[in-house]
């Protein structure tokens, strides 16, 4: 009897097995041979489930994004102030060593997508942006409902996302104090009552 393989599950399992490898190697240094070895499959199997290295990198990053999305969605219902929620959202990729490794991969992803503009990367970035602006919309709506943000305050989740992307880019500069920049930004958009 033939073994029936769930292709989506196998694809996801290969990606999940290579998460740490991507964090250690980065996108440019990662090879199909390393991916196959880490996943415990042959190179041919990798190409059966993925078109190329970028395809598997998208799949791995998608697992990271999914984890981030779950954690940030949980933040929406956390009993802390809107300012604290926004701070946590903006500081998320800078919080610890693991987040720092994710940050390095995202920076490399941004550098590649900015320098070569492959359509798949741009489409992927747009999908990620939609997910995170939706979470920011929920935080902002809750802040307005609780009175922490004036209903007439023109705060845009899209603008917050642009600021977050700027943090990712500028965080490589030694002169950039991420916590201080976030606090200053939040002081501007959430004036004291």
């Amino acid at each position: 009897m033939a073994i029936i393989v769930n292709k989506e599950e196998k694809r996801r399992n290969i990606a999940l097995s290579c998460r740490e490898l991507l964090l250690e190697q980065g996108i440019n240094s990662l090879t199909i041979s390393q991916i196959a070895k880490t996943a415990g499959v042959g190179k041919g199997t990798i190409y059966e489930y993925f078109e190329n290295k970028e395809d598997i990198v998208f799949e791995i990053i998608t697992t990271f994004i999914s984890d981030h999305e779950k954690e940030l969605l949980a933040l929406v219902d956390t009993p802390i102030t809107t300012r604290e929620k926004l701070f946590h959202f903006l500081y998320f990729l800078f919080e610890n060593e693991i987040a720092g490794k994710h940050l390095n991969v995202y920076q490399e992803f941004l550098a590649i997508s900015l320098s070569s503009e492959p359509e798949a990367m741009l489409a992927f970035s747009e999908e990620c942006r939609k997910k995170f602006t939706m979470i920011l919309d929920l935080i902002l709506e809750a802040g307005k409902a609780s009175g922490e943000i004036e209903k007439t305050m023109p705060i845009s989740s899209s603008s917050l996302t642009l600021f977050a992307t700027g943090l990712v880019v500028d965080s490589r500069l030694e002169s950039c104090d991420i916590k201080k920049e976030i606090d200053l930004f939040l002081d501007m958009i959430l004036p004291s009552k």
Side-chain angles (χ1 to χ4, degrees):
M1 179 182 241
I3 297 173
I4 299 172
V5 176
N6 179 329
K7 285 196 118 182
E8 283 304 311
E9 184 178 328
K10 179 74 171 182
R11 179 181 164 92
R12 182 162 174 76
N13 286 339
I14 290 170
L16 287 172
S17 69
C18 295
R19 286 168 55 121
E20 288 302 315
L21 179 65
L22 177 63
L23 293 176
E24 294 302 322
Q25 295 293 318
I27 295 171
N28 287 326
S29 299
L30 191 66
T31 67
I32 294 295
S33 294
Q34 291 171 320
I35 292 166
K37 183 177 178 184
T38 300
V41 299
K43 283 173 64 173
T45 302
I46 296 298
Y47 286 112
E48 187 177 329
Y49 292 93
F50 301 94
E51 288 182 32
N52 51 38
K53 182 175 90 169
E54 288 73 25
D55 193 24
I56 193 166
V57 167
F58 287 153
E59 189 70 25
I60 296 168
I61 291 176
T62 298
T63 68
F64 294 148
I65 297 294
S66 179
D67 291 348
H68 296 332
E69 185 180 12
K70 288 175 191 166
E71 188 171 334
L72 292 171
L73 271 171
L75 178 67
V76 173
D77 295 324
T78 303
I80 56 177
T81 67
T82 298
R83 182 189 178 89
E84 290 169 315
K85 290 176 186 181
L86 289 172
F87 184 91
H88 181 71
F89 184 97
L90 296 169
Y91 194 65
F92 186 74
L93 285 176
F94 307 96
E95 288 181 337
N96 55 46
E97 185 180 339
I98 293 170
K101 288 181 178 183
H102 287 216
L103 174 64
N104 290 337
V105 169
Y106 296 143
Q107 287 171 329
E108 190 174 1
F109 178 85
L110 277 174
I112 293 168
S113 64
L114 289 171
S115 64
S116 61
E117 296 188 17
E119 284 187 37
M121 283 184 148
L122 294 174
F124 181 77
S125 292
E126 183 61 31
E127 284 303 309
C128 293
R129 181 180 170 81
K130 286 178 186 175
K131 290 177 183 187
F132 293 120
T133 55
M134 182 270 302
I135 294 168
L136 284 167
D137 281 337
L138 293 172
I139 293 171
L140 294 173
E141 288 169 15
K144 288 180 179 182
S146 71
E148 293 175 80
I149 300 174
E150 291 187 32
K151 291 185 184 344
T152 58
M153 178 67 76
I155 300 176
S156 155
S157 58
S158 182
S159 295
L160 289 168
T161 304
L162 285 172
F163 176 74
T165 303
L167 287 175
V168 169
V169 173
D170 280 0
S171 66
R172 298 185 81 121
L173 304 173
E174 286 188 32
S175 62
C176 185
D177 181 338
I178 299 298
K179 283 184 177 182
K180 181 180 174 185
E181 295 299 330
I182 294 171
D183 277 331
L184 289 170
F185 181 73
L186 292 175
D187 286 344
M188 287 188 301
I189 67 169
L190 296 173
S192 301
K193 292 187 174 189

